[in-house]
Amino acid sequence: MDHAGGHSCSHCPGVSRRTFLSDVGMGFTGLALSAMLHRDGIARDTSSTGASRIQIGQPHFAPKAKSVVWFMMRGGVSHVEGFDPKPALAKYAGKTISKTPYDKILTSEYLKNVKAQVKDNIVKYDQGSIWPMQVGYKKSGQSGVEVSDWWPHLRESVDDIALVRSMWTIDNNHGAQMEMMSGKHLLDGCAPTIGAWVHYGLGSLNDSLPQFIHIGPTLMSQCNEGIDGDYLGPENAAVRIKVDPKSPLDYARPEIEMSRDEQLAQAELLGTLNGYAAVEYPEDAKLRARIKSYELAFRMQTAVPDVMRFTDETAATHTLYGLDNEATRPFGEQCLAVRRFLERGVRFIQVFHGDGAAGEWDAHSNLVNNHKGLCAKVDRPIAGFLQDLKQRGLLDETVVLWTTEFGRTPYAQGADGRDHHNFGFPIWMAGAGIKRGVVHGATDELGFHAVENRHFVTDLHATLFQLLGLDARRLEIPGRKRLDIDYGRPITGIIA
């Protein structure tokens, strides 16, 4: 017997008697929705606790930006071969750090800023021989900012970006990818990503498209792939979009042929059922998210294929993004899709490059061929994306952010590679509310420690929040205590 309604009936495994009777009381509506959710593996949350409802609202103060695009190069891009030249590496090549005038690096208090997932998996700081830069640099634009020869197209846009050369993080393994997006070390547990927070705080600009989109490889086993809303609820998770004009969504078309009128009738019926269910189960976060996803999926059947219709673009635009070249076409199509999503009112888009568990940029060996080849795939599309946004006026309302999870060691690993390096590395930002053609922060002479205007990864989050008009502390969830470092501080030196 179920006197209190808290035990499951023997003939309804996994479903309480109260829930079953509620379904019956709703007639076909309740039973149909129950069956639909059971098919999708969704169980009701009958508790009164859980993630709070989605908080859709206006910015807390006047924003400078409307949307964010975050490019993440997975694996760890070498900073000394990219955006932070260090001539001293050539001068002391072949020596260990202790044999240079910069040996104090090895006793710096900054060395405590590491929390290893795997013990002793990084080359010891004074066992590697210093390895000179493997590529040339040039001063670029009116600002004269130095960028390596592996980024020739992006170098042409250097006057539009703010380069921050002083980032650091505490994860020296590839969990740093997740730390970059969420601010939390994997050993400290999972947390919502910055994209989920922005979605939670600001809501939708276009109800026919997702407001938090993920393009490219995910983080695989790391905290629900780096796209989950975690305790903010599943309705704030990213929607994965496959940039393929022929098949952009697995659910973009009905499983069986049906007319548009039939689809509309089906959607109306489902909407009616969903409305009844939402009233009956107002605290079920997973149910609420599933209802929203069904409604969004129907609207996306038209909206997403429209975004992927690249034949609408001119030949000049195709060339700008590198669609006329085999090497640059895949990432170029992703960047072009991002621009088209922005035009239609998508709030937050993260674009990951570099497949595999660690990411392709993880150059423990053969660094030259690895980085030279990968830069050739993404340099032209990213530069073209910036130029296209600028000429269309979209750069004035969009923040563009380029990161990797950490840099690479100033000393060699093996004969021709570099190891992970979390103590100092660069990122860059461009667009709405960002100063242009400036360099902020610095690493030491060997590119080991961030020593000037140091910034933890959550400072990036704080900067985005400020540009979007959000006060992160006003978004805190009861029972989910966040530390001061979790919020970070805006990088005021690059905010216009």
Side-chain angles (χ1 to χ4, degrees):
M1 294 295 291
D2 181 12
H3 297 291
H7 299 286
S8 297
C9 61
S10 59
H11 59 283
C12 304
V15 181
S16 72
R17 184 179 180 186
R18 176 175 296 168
T19 298
F20 176 77
L21 292 175
S22 294
D23 282 343
V24 173
M26 291 178 69
F28 175 74
T29 296
L31 293 173
L33 185 63
S34 179
M36 178 179 70
L37 295 172
H38 183 267
R39 178 200 67 197
D40 289 342
I42 300 298
R44 280 192 187 81
D45 176 8
T46 56
S47 68
S48 60
T49 61
S52 66
R53 291 176 178 274
I54 184 169
Q55 181 176 337
I56 298 176
Q58 298 298 316
H60 299 137
F61 49 88
K64 294 177 180 288
K66 185 172 71 174
S67 300
V68 175
V69 176
W70 188 320
F71 291 110
M72 161 65 86
M73 308 292 107
R74 297 183 62 240
V77 179
S78 176
H79 53 299
V80 298
E81 273 95 18
F83 303 99
D84 193 12
K86 296 297 172 182
L89 296 180
K91 183 176 181 180
Y92 298 103
K95 298 179 181 292
T96 59
I97 293 176
S98 62
K99 301 300 182 181
T100 74
Y102 311 114
D103 59 323
K104 290 183 179 179
I105 288 172
L106 302 174
T107 57
S108 170
E109 64 174 0
Y110 298 143
L111 290 173
K112 67 184 179 182
N113 292 322
V114 65
K115 190 174 183 179
Q117 295 179 55
V118 183
K119 186 178 180 181
D120 297 330
N121 75 318
I122 305 298
V123 174
K124 297 297 183 182
Y125 307 137
D126 195 40
Q127 290 182 2
S129 298
I130 292 175
W131 200 33
M133 297 183 298
Q134 301 298 299
V135 63
Y137 274 79
K138 290 180 183 177
K139 291 185 176 181
S140 312
Q142 294 183 355
S143 59
V145 177
E146 291 180 298
V147 178
S148 89
D149 294 340
W150 286 341
W151 298 92
H153 296 281
L154 190 58
R155 189 160 56 194
E156 296 175 4
S157 295
V158 74
D159 286 340
D160 290 319
I161 72 174
L163 181 60
V164 180
R165 285 177 169 161
S166 52
M167 300 303 303
W168 62 276
T169 184
I170 62 174
D171 199 324
N172 63 0
N173 212 315
H174 296 292
Q177 296 173 24
M178 190 64 208
E179 189 169 52
M180 183 66 74
M181 309 308 293
S182 72
K184 301 293 280 187
H185 194 290
L186 279 183
L187 295 179
D188 294 328
C190 300
T193 65
I194 177 65
W197 277 113
V198 170
H199 185 281
Y200 175 83
L202 291 177
S204 180
L205 290 168
N206 182 342
D207 289 337
S208 293
L209 287 169
Q211 291 302 290
F212 179 20
I213 285 176
H214 178 94
I215 294 174
T218 63
L219 302 186
M220 301 179 74
S221 60
Q222 294 185 25
C223 289
N224 297 310
E225 303 182 296
I227 62 175
D228 190 70
D230 201 71
Y231 60 75
L232 293 181
E235 61 262 51
N236 294 296
V239 173
R240 291 188 65 181
I241 296 291
K242 179 173 58 176
V243 178
D244 179 357
K246 296 180 180 178
S247 180
L249 283 171
D250 292 334
Y251 46 87
R253 298 182 181 87
E255 292 183 6
I256 60 174
E257 289 294 328
M258 62 174 62
S259 68
R260 188 64 179 173
D261 288 341
E262 289 175 318
Q263 293 182 55
L264 286 171
Q266 185 183 67
E268 288 174 1
L269 174 59
L270 186 58
T272 300
L273 301 181
N274 287 342
Y276 291 142
V279 172
E280 186 71 14
Y281 310 110
E283 298 302 324
D284 192 332
K286 290 184 177 180
L287 172 63
R288 194 167 59 249
R290 180 60 68 185
I291 290 172
K292 287 179 178 292
S293 71
Y294 286 145
E295 294 171 347
L296 178 60
F298 177 75
R299 295 191 295 270
M300 286 170 63
Q301 289 180 14
T302 298
V304 171
D306 181 61
V307 173
M308 301 298 171
R309 196 170 295 115
F310 298 152
T311 53
D312 294 348
E313 302 288 343
T314 65
T317 298
H318 281 227
T319 299
L320 183 64
Y321 283 85
L323 271 58
D324 58 348
N325 181 283
E326 285 295 324
T328 54
R329 181 183 300 116
F331 200 70
E333 288 183 338
Q334 293 182 352
C335 290
L336 180 54
V338 170
R339 191 217 80 203
R340 290 170 67 87
F341 275 122
L342 288 174
E343 288 178 315
R344 289 157 176 80
V346 173
R347 180 82 69 182
F348 197 104
I349 307 172
Q350 58 188 43
V351 186
F352 286 12
H353 181 267
D355 215 339
E360 290 179 81
W361 295 84
D362 195 25
H364 294 282
S365 61
N366 198 19
L367 181 141
V368 172
N369 288 336
N370 173 276
H371 273 38
K372 187 176 181 180
L374 293 175
C375 287
K377 293 180 179 180
V378 302
D379 172 49
R380 183 177 171 190
I382 295 175
F385 174 75
L386 285 177
Q387 294 173 35
D388 201 17
L389 259 59
K390 185 178 181 180
Q391 68 187 13
R392 294 172 186 270
L394 289 171
L395 198 58
D396 294 330
E397 59 185 36
T398 305
V399 182
V400 181
L401 173 60
W402 180 97
T403 73
T404 184
E405 70 252 46
F406 40 55
R408 306 205 77 83
T409 52
Y411 48 82
Q413 181 177 21
D416 56 4
R418 299 189 190 275
D419 208 347
H420 307 164
H421 192 76
N422 64 292
F423 298 114
F425 58 96
I427 62 93
W428 59 258
M429 299 180 75
I434 298 294
K435 291 180 180 178
R436 301 188 177 191
V438 300
V439 175
H440 176 80
T443 53
D444 56 43
E445 289 83 352
L446 298 182
F448 198 99
H449 291 296
V451 294
E452 179 184 315
N453 293 317
R454 291 165 50 80
H455 293 287
F456 187 59
V457 293
T458 52
D459 291 352
L460 295 178
H461 302 177
T463 304
L464 293 178
F465 278 129
Q466 179 160 323
L467 294 172
L468 291 167
L470 286 173
D471 179 354
R473 285 171 171 78
R474 292 171 63 179
L475 298 177
E476 185 166 295
I477 306 301
R480 297 287 182 174
K481 181 65 178 175
R482 302 181 74 198
L483 304 176
D484 191 57
I485 195 172
D486 296 333
Y487 292 104
R489 292 178 172 82
I491 307 176
T492 56
I494 66 170
I495 297 177

